[in-house]
Amino acid sequence: MFAIVEIAGLQYKVEQNQKLFVNRLKGDKGAKVSFDKVLLTVNGTVTVGAPAVSGITVDVEILDHVQADKVIVFKKKRRKGYAKKNGHRQQLTQILVTGITGFDGAKKEAKKAAPKKAAKAEVTETSESAE
């Protein structure tokens, strides 16, 4: 069982009890956060959202706020005496995925939506055969 969720503007594939680093989130260590912008879920069947799957949430716990390794930015132009050196350390948050919830509601909604699509398909088939 996994889900693709949008966290801080980026998309991540998450599973339960997975630790990962994301862009800095607001909140203290130990805080519980949930994300409802789930783009895709797989729990026996694949559910794709348009644009998000309704009723599914990903619950996470903030473990720590850290900085990534330093990235050196060096610019130089040959024979011009120009050289610039800068560094950057990205601010990150380490999170633990505690659970992916709401699968029961999503299955019910998917079942409700399926007959509507089948009814529309029957209408288009009958109109094509009449021609």
Side-chain angles (χ1 to χ4, degrees):
M1 170 173 67
F2 69 88
I4 296 178
V5 63
E6 185 173 324
I7 300 173
L10 298 175
Q11 297 174 6
Y12 297 93
K13 178 184 174 186
V14 297
E15 297 179 10
Q16 190 162 352
N17 298 325
Q18 178 185 11
K19 292 181 183 178
L20 67 145
F21 291 97
V22 298
N23 287 336
R24 182 64 62 106
L25 299 174
K26 293 181 181 177
D28 298 327
K29 290 182 184 179
K32 308 281 187 200
V33 182
S34 79
F35 299 100
D36 59 350
K37 192 156 187 184
V38 178
L39 307 174
L40 179 136
T41 60
V42 175
N43 186 18
T45 61
V46 177
T47 307
V48 179
V53 179
S54 61
I56 303 289
T57 59
V58 175
D59 301 319
V60 302
E61 178 183 351
I62 296 176
L63 298 178
D64 199 9
H65 295 292
V66 296
Q67 287 186 328
D69 294 336
K70 187 174 234 181
V71 176
I72 303 297
V73 180
F74 185 73
K75 299 177 183 179
K76 181 179 178 175
K77 294 188 179 179
R78 297 186 315 156
R79 299 182 300 274
K80 306 295 183 201
Y82 173 79
K84 278 281 190 209
K85 182 179 178 182
N86 283 322
H88 175 74
R89 292 187 71 182
Q90 186 70 29
Q91 304 290 316
L92 301 174
T93 299
Q94 185 179 19
I95 61 173
L96 171 69
V97 179
T98 56
I100 303 171
T101 58
F103 279 109
D104 297 335
K107 287 182 182 176
K108 290 177 184 175
E109 290 178 16
K111 288 181 181 177
K112 289 180 183 177
K116 291 179 183 177
K117 291 180 182 177
K120 289 181 182 178
E122 291 175 12
V123 171
T124 58
E125 289 175 11
T126 56
S127 63
E128 291 174 2
S129 62
E131 294 174 3

